[in-house]
């Protein structure tokens, strides 16, 4: 849950580190720091609690000496509060060695006790400083060989870690290691980079290498060496970053979230792109998986948060088109309930970052028990896809705002593509029905754009008008129920308002007691054309809450006259088939949550207590 950058090359590293950290701040922003080996071969370090701007100001006032070897870190606190002392980098070996870390070293207490017994002293409460002191000890025990010392050190660590280190006796060298935590290499001309993800260096190079589990990397201006924890050289997968630095900037939008909501049509379109031939789905990444798809008896979807709601929407289409039973489970619950798994189970993980520790651990658990695994992920080279048998990448582009929006609609799209593919492989879906679904899916980007063009301002105005609201309820039925959950989560996480999503049919079994005069309730109304029965039941639900004074805001298809008498506000969406309505109905809810958070003057992109990628359990 932290951002990590490393640089070696001919250029002053400070600016490169700081701009890389700026793009990684969404991974955590409790504190930031850099360490640089200057031209005299002396290690300089600066770190400050608070966002990156605090560190920048400090460096402007008292710059570090220039140096071309450096590491940088932006933190989301796990062990020890967000203080200057607990910020990274952590120093050891008399200030000659600097270490930064992303993850949790689970056995740090025992290691710390061992080091203290050996006379070591610690300045911070962090697990990272323990790794730094241990590395310093191994450094001298291995003839001042930093890579050998790294190997000895990481073999003693348990848990999840990406570690970078430099030592002033080795200018031009940065060494890194990863286990269950992200690290990618950027390959430049006479310079090389390390980063938690490609955003750290994409402004300098799009040529990248993905480092695998339990591997160590040493970068110098001349090259890159990757070994396993025993020192044996290993091959790594090169890949090209498909988006540029500009795409990772706000591009003039008021927030990354506003930019990313505007990109929802493209997120769907780009996820579809190149995956149809003659109206049939053809996903290159799934070549070789058809035998697995033909043989499975069950699909379990594992994810967290918004990604889990995408899974709940996808379940309907997966079962309808592939006729395989589907369960959707929260990843952090899944692996502790001793699930029944075998080779006839396909475990589909959904993760925008591809680094969510809960989801990664669920995938590893499923693989160890013989299940087939498939990742739906938005981040190339991420850990979860690399730990899976196959991956279907969503092509939503970088999602920087903590609140996931465009990735959500891309995840549903990818699930639909997967459902169509499996349905065709198993002969459960006719070519005609597949072509019909493909046509509906291809129409979705234009329909989302219609909502952005015609309803965005009204929705944002409604949000501003409701800025003092203290509680909002969300109701949905069938595929609309996960959208109600998603709408509630978005409002909670960026406007800090209590919000709760319910299945509309559940109202009379308890939640209707919450309805009092003026209580705002969003209702996602099924299509009167395609889901007439469900539509009428939801209209009845609306009447029940209206009769008790609720303030009803409905999301309904254009032309749905039946809801008008019972709605205080109507947010329209274009007509779409039942499976496709969720991709439309969620858009006003994203806009509403963003508008209300903005109206309250809150930080829409970096809400309190949260980070973009939860890489600790
Ligand atoms: C979504 O708005 C939240 N930020 C959060 O629920 C997120 O979806 C969840 O942590 C999963 O993240 P992932 O998709 O990167 O695995």
């Amino acid at each position: 849950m932290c951002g990590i950058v490393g640089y070696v090359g001919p250029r002053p590293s400070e600016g490169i580190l700081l701009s890389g950290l700026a793009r990684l701040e969404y991974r955590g922003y409790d504190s930031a720091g850099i360490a640089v080996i200057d031209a005299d071969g002396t290690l300089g370090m600066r770190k400050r609690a608070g966002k990156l701007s605090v560190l920048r100001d400090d460096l402007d006032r008292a710059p570090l000496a220039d140096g071309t070897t450096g590491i940088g870190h932006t933190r989301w606190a796990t062990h020890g509060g967000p203080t200057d002392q607990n910020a990274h980098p952590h120093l050891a070996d008399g200030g000659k060695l600097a270490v930064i870390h992303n993850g949790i070293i689970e056995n740090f207490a025992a290691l710390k006790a061992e080091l203290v017994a050996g006379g070591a002293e610690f300045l911070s409460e962090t697990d990272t400083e323990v790794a730094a002191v241990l590395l310093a000890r191994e450094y001298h025990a291995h003839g001042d060989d930093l890579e050998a010392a790294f190997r000895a050190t990481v073999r003693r660590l348990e848990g999840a870690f990406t570690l970078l280190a430099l030592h002033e006796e080795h200018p031009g060298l940065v060494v890194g290691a990863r286990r269950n935590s992200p690290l990618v290499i950027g390959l430049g001309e006479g310079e090389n980079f390390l980063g938690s993800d490609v955003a750290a260096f994409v402004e300098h190079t799009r040529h990248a290498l993905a480092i695998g589990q339990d591997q160590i990397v040493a970068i110098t201006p001349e090259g890159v060496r990757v070994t396993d924890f025993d020192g044996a050289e290993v091959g790594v997968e090169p890949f090209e970053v498909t988006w540029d630095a500009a795409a990772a900037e706000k591009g003039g939008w008021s927030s990354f979230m506003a930019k990313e909501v505007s990109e929802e049509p493209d997120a769907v379109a780009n996820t579809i792109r190149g995956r149809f031939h003659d109206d049939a789905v053809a996903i290159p990444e799934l070549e070789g998986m058809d035998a697995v798809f033909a043989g499975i008896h069950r699909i379990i979807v594992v994810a967290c948060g918004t990604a889990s709601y995408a899974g709940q929407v996808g379940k309907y289409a997966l079962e309808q088109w592939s006729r395989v039973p589907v369960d959707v489970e929260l990843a952090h619950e899944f692996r502790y309930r001793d699930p029944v798994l075998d080779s006839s189970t396909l475990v589909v993980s959904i993760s925008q970052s591809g680094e969510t520790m809960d989801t990664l651990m669920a995938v590893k658990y499923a693989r160890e028990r013989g299940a087939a695994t498939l990742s739906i992920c938005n981040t190339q080279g991420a850990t979860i896809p690399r730990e899976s048998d196959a991956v279907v990448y969503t092509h939503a582009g970088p999602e920087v705002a903590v609140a996931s929006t465009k990735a959500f609609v891309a995840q549903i799209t990818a699930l639909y593509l997967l459902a169509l593919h499996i349905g065709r492989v198993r002969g459960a879906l006719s070519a005609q029905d597949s072509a019909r679904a493909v046509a509906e899916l291809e129409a979705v980007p234009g329909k989302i754009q219609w909502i952005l063009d015609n309803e965005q301002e009204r929705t944002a105005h409604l949000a501003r008008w409701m800025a003092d609201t203290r509680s909002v309820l969300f109701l949905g039925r069938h595929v609309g129920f996960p959208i109600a959950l998603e709408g509630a989560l978005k409002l909670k996480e960026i406007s800090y308002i209590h919000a709760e999503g319910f299945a509309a049919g559940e109202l009379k079994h308890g939640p209707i007691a919450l309805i009092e005069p003026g209580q705002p309730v969003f209702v996602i109304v099924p299509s009167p054309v395609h889901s007439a029965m469900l539509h009428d039941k939801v209209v009845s639900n609306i009447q029940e809450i209206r009769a008790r004074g609720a303030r009803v805001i409905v999301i309904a298809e254009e032309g749905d006259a039946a809801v008008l008498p019972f709605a205080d506000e109507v947010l329209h969406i274009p007509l779409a088939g039942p499976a496709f309505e969720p991709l439309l109905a969620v858009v006003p809810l994203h806009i509403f949550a963003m508008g209300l958070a903005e109206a309250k003057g809150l930080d829409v992109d970096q809400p309190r207590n949260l980070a973009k990628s939860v890489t600790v359990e």
Side-chain angles (χ1 to χ4, degrees), residues 325-564:
V326 177
D327 290 308
V328 181
E329 300 206 31
L330 291 170
H332 41 79
E333 289 291 325
F334 167 72
R335 78 186 177 100
Y336 294 108
R337 68 168 186 79
D338 192 17
V340 176
L341 299 173
D342 60 27
S343 59
S344 71
T345 308
L346 172 65
V347 172
V348 176
S349 63
I350 306 173
S351 176
Q352 188 287 130
S353 63
E355 302 300 344
T356 297
M357 186 57 69
D358 291 319
T359 307
L360 172 62
M361 290 297 127
V363 169
K364 289 161 73 80
Y365 180 90
R367 279 196 90 175
E368 286 157 9
R369 281 152 186 79
T373 55
L374 185 148
S375 163
I376 290 179
C377 183
N378 193 48
T379 308
Q380 299 143 315
T383 303
I384 294 174
R386 286 209 301 281
E387 291 291 332
S388 303
D389 298 320
V391 56
V392 176
Y393 279 112
T394 52
H395 298 306
E399 187 177 76
V400 179
V402 166
S404 185
T405 52
K406 63 176 182 175
F408 176 72
V409 293
Q411 287 160 356
I412 294 173
T413 302
L415 282 164
Y416 285 6
L417 293 170
L418 176 65
L420 291 168
H421 181 93
I422 295 176
R424 296 289 293 140
V425 165
R426 298 173 64 92
L429 186 69
S430 71
Q432 184 187 12
D433 288 345
S434 174
R436 191 177 300 122
V438 162
E440 278 257 27
L441 201 48
E442 288 185 312
V444 165
K447 293 181 177 180
I448 294 177
Q449 193 59 52
W450 183 93
I451 297 167
L452 296 174
D453 295 343
N454 294 281
E455 294 292 86
Q456 173 146 16
E457 186 38 51
R458 242 165 39 82
T459 307
H461 176 74
L462 175 64
R464 289 191 291 271
W465 194 76
M466 291 175 64
D468 297 330
T469 300
R470 300 190 56 72
S471 158
V472 179
L473 306 181
F474 295 78
L475 299 186
R477 211 182 251 266
H478 194 256
V479 288
F481 171 36
I483 300 304
L485 298 175
E486 164 62 7
L489 175 61
K490 280 293 156 306
L491 196 59
K492 273 184 276 202
E493 70 176 320
I494 62 174
S495 65
Y496 316 150
I497 284 176
H498 172 261
E500 200 164 346
F502 299 105
E506 196 59 8
L507 259 182
K508 292 192 284 292
H509 302 286
I512 201 165
L514 290 172
I515 305 300
E516 54 192 26
Q519 169 65 52
V521 182
F522 276 86
V523 184
I524 295 108
V525 180
S527 164
V529 175
H530 296 293
S531 313
M533 182 181 66
L534 286 176
H535 172 272
D536 296 347
K537 288 190 183 304
V538 171
V539 171
S540 300
N541 295 140
I542 292 172
Q543 291 168 315
E544 289 157 12
I545 58 176
R546 198 75 186 306
R548 290 162 176 80
R551 182 169 155 60
V552 178
I553 304 143
V554 300
I555 294 169
E557 278 181 2
E558 275 189 292
D560 182 352
V563 296
L564 299 183

